């Protein structure tokens, strides 16, 4: 009985699963204490055997019961400890997470729209799948005009096409409402082109102002665009260079002094000191004729949003704006 008390104490004093597993082998194992006692049975007489075996079985049962209950306690304690250490406090601060940001084209687009909305321009939309009339004909782009070339325009079979510019929205606006008009039309446009400075899809903002009382002048156009470009690019010089567009007469292209070299001449401005940023002009009378507007005058302008974004953020390759490379986008957070 003394031995039994000692063994039982040994079991109950185990502080963890490893310790009690060792005791299990010592007591209940093949070469353990109990197995040793059972071997002794063989050396006893029949008479002694009965008592000894009975005592041994009682002892075994007692040890097993103590073992099982202490083993269960230790297991429970182990689980509790594990639960405690693995507990997650959902209210704890999780550190800085990745923040999203506007794509530079979207951000530039927003900035342009905001500027003109503040000047009371309406924001107009038109379909991306256009027809020949709105995209070309009404804009005084006659049938043989090179802009209609299959090289530049995505045509569908049924005389529909993907708009090559946002200018058709001015036609739609004039056909659906009366002057005066002050509008911009932001949106995607499509051309069959792909290189360092061209992608098949890009974004433009078209602007149109039409007055039926009094006449708009080229001076009005120059003043509004000069303010706009200085708002976008900071303190740059703005100049207007005579140019040609079928839908405006006279037409001009606006340049800003090079924001990379300050006008001294560098690779970006091809050593001219100037960067071309938009097209504009006084609306050609043929355009007004196409929408049956009489006794009105107006000016229009059109710009490429990607070009603005590239200049503002000094991005050298237009195509990188559409590749979705996280390393580029992360820089605009
Ligand atoms: N639609 C022209 C283009 O895609 C841009 C443009 C130039 C629009 C002059 C205008 C304008 O309204 O007056 O290149």
């Amino acid at each position: 009985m003394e031995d039994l008390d000692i063994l039982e104490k040994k079991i109950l004093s185990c502080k963890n699963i490893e310790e009690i597993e060792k005791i299990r082998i010592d007591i209940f194992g093949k070469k353990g204490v109990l197995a040793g006692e059972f071997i002794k049975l063989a050396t006893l007489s029949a008479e002694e055997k009965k008592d000894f075996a009975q005592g041994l079985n009682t002892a075994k049962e007692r040890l097993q019961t103590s073992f099982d209950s202490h083993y269960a306690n230790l297991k429970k304690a182990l689980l509790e400890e594990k639960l405690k250490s693995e507990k997650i406090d959902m209210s704890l601060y999780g550190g800085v997470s990745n923040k999203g940001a506007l794509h530079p084209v979207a951000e530039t687009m927003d900035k342009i729209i905001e500027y003109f909305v503040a000047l009371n321009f309406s924001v107009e939309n038109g379909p991306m799948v256009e027809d020949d009339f709105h995209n070309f004909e009404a804009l005084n782009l006659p049938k043989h005009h090179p802009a209609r070339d299959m090289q530049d325009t995505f045509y569908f079979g049924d005389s529909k096409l993907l708009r090559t510019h946002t200018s058709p929205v001015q036609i739609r606006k004039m056909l659906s409402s009366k002057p005066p008009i002050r509008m911009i039309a932001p949106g995607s446009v499509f051309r069959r082109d792909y290189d360092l400075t061209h992608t098949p899809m890009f974004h433009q903002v078209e602007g149109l102002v039409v007055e039926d009382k009094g006449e708009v002048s080229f001076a009005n156009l120059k003043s509004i665009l000069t303010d706009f470009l200085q708002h976008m690019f900071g303190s740059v010089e703005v100049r207007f260079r005579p140019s040609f567009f079928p839908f405006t007469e006279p037409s001009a292209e606006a340049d800003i002094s090079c924001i990379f070299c300050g006008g001294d001449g560098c690779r970006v401005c091809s050593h001219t000191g100037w960067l071309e940023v938009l097209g504009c002009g006084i609306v050609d009378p043929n355009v007004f004729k196409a929408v049956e507007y009489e006794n009105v005058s107006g000016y229009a302008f059109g710009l490429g949003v990607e070009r603005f974004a590239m200049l503002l953020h000094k991005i050298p390759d237009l195509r990188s704006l559409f590749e979705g490379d996280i390393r580029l986008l992360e820089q605009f957070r």
Side-chain angles (χ1 to χ4, degrees):
M1 272 321 265
E2 235 177 29
D3 281 352
L4 191 57
D5 284 342
I6 292 171
L7 287 175
E8 199 169 34
K9 245 190 213 143
K10 259 189 181 173
I11 291 174
L12 297 176
S13 65
C14 287
K15 283 188 230 53
N16 54 49
I17 294 290
E18 286 92 61
E19 277 179 35
I20 202 168
E21 286 290 4
K22 245 168 86 193
I23 294 289
R24 183 214 293 277
I25 294 165
D26 288 350
I27 298 175
F28 305 97
K30 262 191 207 155
K31 292 176 183 162
V33 181
L34 284 170
E37 293 298 310
F38 276 104
I39 286 169
K40 277 186 198 160
L41 262 181
T43 64
L44 299 177
S45 66
E47 189 84 343
E48 291 167 317
K49 240 183 215 170
K50 201 180 154 211
D51 283 351
F52 193 81
Q54 226 172 35
L56 208 51
N57 277 327
T58 315
K60 191 185 167 192
E61 253 168 55
R62 202 176 121 189
L63 287 173
Q64 191 70 55
T65 310
S66 304
F67 180 90
D68 288 347
S69 88
H70 194 54
Y71 190 90
N73 284 342
L74 290 176
K75 257 268 139 64
K76 199 171 147 211
L78 182 72
L79 179 69
E80 267 163 20
E81 205 176 294
K82 209 169 162 208
L83 287 176
K84 218 196 261 170
S85 72
E86 289 177 3
K87 193 173 103 173
I88 296 169
D89 183 349
M90 300 302 278
S91 68
L92 277 180
Y93 176 60
V96 182
S97 62
N98 279 346
K99 240 199 233 165
L102 281 180
H103 188 280
V105 172
E107 179 222 48
T108 306
M109 184 75 107
D110 286 354
K111 202 171 165 189
I112 296 169
I113 294 171
E114 234 168 67
Y115 183 83
F116 286 104
V117 165
L119 291 183
N120 215 17
F121 280 61
S122 66
V123 180
E124 306 294 338
N125 288 300
M128 291 176 203
V129 177
E130 264 297 0
D131 52 41
D132 190 90
F133 174 76
H134 293 90
N135 197 79
F136 293 130
E137 193 79 47
L139 286 162
N140 197 30
L141 274 136
K143 287 268 184 288
H144 56 268
H145 197 278
R148 295 185 176 213
D149 199 312
M150 295 289 285
Q151 303 285 315
D152 302 320
T153 308
F154 289 103
Y155 283 99
F156 296 103
D158 53 356
S159 85
K160 297 266 185 192
L161 48 89
L162 284 176
R163 67 179 180 194
T164 56
H165 50 181
T166 42
S167 305
V169 184
Q170 48 161 287
I171 300 299
R172 288 185 177 273
K173 177 69 179 173
M174 287 191 282
L175 285 172
S176 65
S177 52
K178 289 198 175 96
I181 288 171
R182 280 167 92 82
M183 60 152 267
I184 52 166
S188 342
V189 301
F190 307 85
R191 288 181 200 174
R192 296 167 64 120
D193 237 338
Y194 190 67
D195 61 30
L196 209 70
T197 50
H198 299 90
T199 49
M201 188 280 297
F202 58 103
H203 299 83
Q204 287 190 336
V205 175
E206 177 81 14
L208 174 73
V209 171
V210 180
E211 297 291 353
D212 54 348
K213 294 184 192 77
E215 206 170 311
V216 304
S217 68
F218 209 93
N220 299 144
L221 173 62
K222 278 179 76 172
S223 126
I224 199 167
L225 290 179
T226 301
D227 284 350
F228 164 63
L229 291 172
Q230 285 170 344
H231 170 78
M232 294 299 290
F233 295 104
S235 53
V236 288
E237 271 183 67
V238 179
R239 74 171 186 191
F240 291 79
R241 223 170 356 90
S243 186
F244 174 79
F245 297 102
F247 26 87
T248 43
E249 182 59 37
S251 303
E253 274 167 303
D255 297 341
I256 55 169
S257 52
C258 181
I259 52 175
F260 295 90
C261 62
D264 294 340
C266 67
R267 255 184 41 205
V268 183
C269 62
S270 308
H271 302 282
T272 62
W274 296 94
L275 297 165
E276 182 192 317
V277 286
L278 57 79
C280 60
I282 299 293
V283 178
D284 192 288
N286 282 338
V287 173
F288 287 140
K289 214 181 278 172
V291 296
E292 295 173 359
Y293 266 22
E294 277 168 8
N295 302 320
V296 294
S297 65
Y299 61 78
F301 55 90
L303 61 90
V305 181
E306 279 76 6
R307 173 135 179 92
F308 273 53
M310 284 172 77
L311 293 175
L312 287 171
H313 294 294
K314 302 190 165 47
I315 300 165
D317 186 340
L318 171 64
R319 292 170 295 193
S320 63
L321 288 174
F322 299 106
E323 279 163 0
D325 189 326
I326 195 80
R327 289 167 300 183
L328 177 97
L329 300 176
E330 272 174 347
Q331 297 172 49
F332 301 102
R333 222 183 263 154

